[in-house]
Amino acid sequence: MQGRFKLYFNPQSRAAVVRWMLNEVGADYELVPIDFEKGENRTPEFLALNPMGKLPTLILPDGTVMTETAAILAHLADCFPEAGLAPAVGTSERATYYRWLFFAPSCLEPAGIDAMMRKDAPPLPKMALGWGSYDDVVDTIEERLSASTYVTGETFTAADLAIGATLWWFTMFGAPRIKDSAAIQRFVGRLTDREAFKRGQAPG
Ligand SMILES: N[C@@H](CCC(=O)N[C@@H](CS)C(=O)NCC(=O)O)C(=O)O
């Protein structure tokens, strides 16, 4: 794909996941540093781009504003088909890819944040929560990662990046069970060994 992407960036944010993906697909991009402490994500200029005041906020080469990490990963995978990070549309592999790509922000992420930030609070009713319970989510991921190398099978895709980046954050922040799970840690290790991940760790 032609043109330059502009990524509003803070290394301690989900924008780091998008930077990793931009490296995976070999995109041309620039980083615009955002300092949360200085409120740079709350200025009128920034809020005009993303009224949520959140990162990642990505400007596509044609000026379109994109937010929401998983959506950005999916779009970049489609824009750079030569990187091979999304199965063909309409296939069963694509269906499995979507399943895990959406599982990351709708189940894994809120379940883990709830488990870490509300650990002393009474549990919310399982039926009302999209993720059911934290243990169900971790059991589901563990089962999947025990059965195949990547979430969609034997090929690395953008869905692995969505799931893997979240599991990597959970490992660092001490989410329950994550560090002790051999299947999850094998997967996280495989992902953080990738060249594109390592390049994304350089100062931005
Ligand atoms: N739903 C968004 C979440 C974005 C988000 O919560 N970003 C955090 C950093 S990881 C943020 O910008 N926080 C700054 C703030 O809310 O002031 C996504 O999946 O990309």
Side-chain angles (χ1 to χ4, degrees):
M1 186 180 188
Q2 296 292 316
R4 179 164 255 232
F5 293 79
K6 187 194 275 192
L7 176 62
Y8 289 84
F9 183 74
N10 181 300
Q12 307 301 325
S13 80
R14 292 166 178 84
V17 184
V18 172
R19 185 189 188 190
W20 175 7
M21 182 65 178
L22 288 162
N23 289 339
E24 289 281 356
V25 298
D28 179 21
Y29 68 90
E30 64 184 271
L31 300 178
V32 181
I34 291 289
D35 187 330
F36 290 136
E37 282 174 17
K38 290 188 183 152
E40 288 175 353
N41 57 324
R42 300 284 159 189
T43 63
E45 294 75 19
F46 188 83
L47 292 173
L49 297 173
N50 182 356
M52 297 286 286
K54 297 263 185 197
L55 302 182
T57 295
L58 180 72
I59 314 299
L60 307 185
D62 70 358
T64 302
V65 179
M66 268 199 96
T67 68
E68 308 315 313
T69 306
I72 293 172
L73 300 185
H75 182 67
L76 289 173
D78 288 345
C79 286
F80 294 86
E82 62 284 2
L85 296 184
V89 174
T91 61
S92 56
E93 289 80 11
R94 182 79 172 205
T96 304
Y97 162 82
Y98 280 139
R99 175 185 174 188
W100 296 108
L101 194 59
F102 285 58
F103 191 84
S106 63
C107 295
L108 180 59
E109 206 186 281
I113 290 173
D114 185 63
M116 287 186 281
M117 299 188 93
R118 296 181 67 258
K119 54 177 182 279
D120 298 323
L124 294 166
K126 188 170 167 171
M127 263 184 77
L129 301 176
W131 62 92
S133 74
Y134 181 73
D135 280 332
D136 284 355
V137 166
V138 177
D139 288 347
T140 302
I141 287 280
E142 270 199 310
E143 191 183 311
R144 183 66 203 174
L145 294 176
S146 302
S148 60
T149 308
Y150 296 107
V151 290
T152 49
E154 296 311 305
T155 305
F156 175 80
T157 69
D160 292 293
L161 218 149
I163 295 277
T166 309
L167 292 172
W168 176 63
W169 282 100
F170 286 2
T171 303
M172 289 195 305
F173 288 109
R177 296 182 52 191
I178 301 298
K179 219 174 190 157
D180 299 331
S181 164
I184 290 176
Q185 288 310 311
R186 240 191 341 266
F187 177 70
V188 169
R190 206 171 278 138
L191 264 60
T192 54
D193 268 350
R194 295 180 70 83
E195 210 42 55
F197 171 85
K198 290 180 189 158
R199 274 192 285 128
Q201 298 308 297

